[in-house]
Amino acid sequence: AFQEPDSQFFEERQLLEYYWHIKRAEQALHENMTPYGVKLLYRALALDGLYITAQMRCRCRVLLALAGENVAVECDLDALLARAGQCTDPKRRLEILAAADETNNETWNRLRADALFELGQYEEAAAAYGMTRQDIHIYGKLEVCYRELGDYKKAYEYACKQRQEA
């Protein structure tokens, strides 16, 4: 049995407690038990230990932000972008990206544009694609965006650009 203070197992106990809170919070949020999930996330965030990394704290803050809490998501942007890049649900991807408003970041803009495109929000997607470096894949998506918006002149321009690159 664990008895405090126990310097040998304290760090491991903190890590296990952190994971317990996070997993239970995710389950609670999934089951629409938001207040309970938020409470567990705050408890996880309050834990401190050698093995609780900045990336783990970022995950906790992102979950709090997704649950509607007004928290600063001070975390590694690369970790956040990697998480958004792995997300297959475009709505969820937008929620993750909203945790860091990085309009000057190429990857952030591209992930956001792709999510908007997948949701059929073509006007917003075209604007977001306009903030990225353009290539053959973007040209095809911009062609679709403008065709869906009824701007056939722009759709034709991007179809021509796509054909030139091919």
Side-chain angles (χ1 to χ4, degrees):
F2 178 82
Q3 293 180 356
E4 288 195 44
D6 187 337
S7 60
Q8 187 173 4
F9 296 111
F10 179 77
E11 298 298 333
E12 288 83 0
R13 179 179 180 268
Q14 291 291 87
L15 179 64
L16 289 173
E17 191 172 339
Y18 174 86
Y19 279 128
W20 184 88
H21 285 304
I22 289 291
K23 290 298 178 189
R24 294 287 303 185
E26 287 176 337
Q27 182 181 5
L29 294 173
H30 182 71
E31 294 173 1
N32 293 323
M33 297 169 48
T34 304
Y36 180 61
V38 166
K39 181 179 177 181
L40 290 170
L41 288 169
Y42 279 118
R43 284 185 182 168
L45 201 54
L47 292 170
D48 195 21
L50 178 66
Y51 301 124
I52 299 173
T53 65
Q55 187 174 3
M56 292 165 69
R57 291 187 181 288
C58 174
R59 176 180 178 204
C60 191
R61 287 188 187 99
V62 167
L63 289 170
L64 281 166
L66 293 175
E69 291 294 293
N70 188 13
V71 293
V73 182
E74 301 163 9
C75 61
D76 180 14
L77 179 62
D78 291 333
L80 186 78
L81 293 175
R83 181 180 168 108
Q86 294 170 350
C87 184
T88 56
D89 178 17
K91 285 184 182 179
R92 180 98 164 117
R93 192 176 326 133
L94 286 174
E95 290 173 348
I96 293 169
L97 292 170
D101 189 14
E102 292 291 328
T103 57
N104 293 328
N105 182 287
E106 175 78 19
T107 305
W108 186 88
N109 279 314
R110 192 150 200 183
L111 288 168
R112 184 172 174 276
D114 286 343
L116 292 166
F117 182 84
E118 291 171 40
L119 291 170
Q121 297 176 11
Y122 298 114
E123 190 171 350
E124 294 91 344
Y129 282 128
M131 298 176 75
T132 65
R133 192 171 11 92
Q134 311 242 320
D135 61 27
I136 192 167
H137 303 293
I138 300 291
Y139 296 150
K141 290 180 178 178
L142 281 168
E143 176 194 356
V144 172
C145 286
Y146 287 114
R147 189 176 60 233
E148 291 295 322
L149 294 171
D151 188 341
Y152 300 108
K153 181 178 178 183
K154 281 233 187 234
Y156 179 74
E157 283 178 35
Y158 284 106
C160 290
K161 285 183 180 185
Q162 184 179 16
R163 191 164 189 188
Q164 287 173 345
E165 294 282 326

